[in-house]
Amino acid sequence: MALSPLSRRAGVLSLTAAVLIVLSQVMRLTLSRLLGPDWATTPAYTVTFSVALLGMGSLLLAVTAIYT
């Protein structure tokens, strides 16, 4: 049975997702401590949540690749 190109990349996708999700959490923790309660109005807030969104997208692709 031949594997699809997405299925062959499931491992890389899951590792990418893990790195991006952990990175976004570390960024969120660090920046919220450095910038205080007003950090939600800075561009760093948008970058942090964009990294988290990319991580969740990678995780979704990895899970889809595993189940195909």
Side-chain angles (χ1 to χ4, degrees):
M1 181 167 104
L3 294 174
S4 71
L6 185 61
S7 294
R8 283 179 274 186
R9 292 185 177 94
V12 173
L13 284 169
S14 63
L15 288 176
T16 302
V19 167
L20 288 173
I21 291 169
V22 169
L23 178 65
S24 73
Q25 293 297 318
V26 169
M27 287 171 56
R28 198 174 299 169
L29 178 66
T30 305
L31 291 174
S32 66
R33 288 183 184 250
L34 288 176
L35 301 175
D38 294 332
W39 88 285
T41 60
T42 64
Y45 185 81
T46 305
V47 170
T48 300
F49 279 91
S50 297
V51 170
L53 184 64
L54 287 172
M56 293 298 170
S58 297
L59 184 61
L60 179 64
L61 283 174
V63 169
T64 302
I66 290 170
Y67 284 109
T68 55

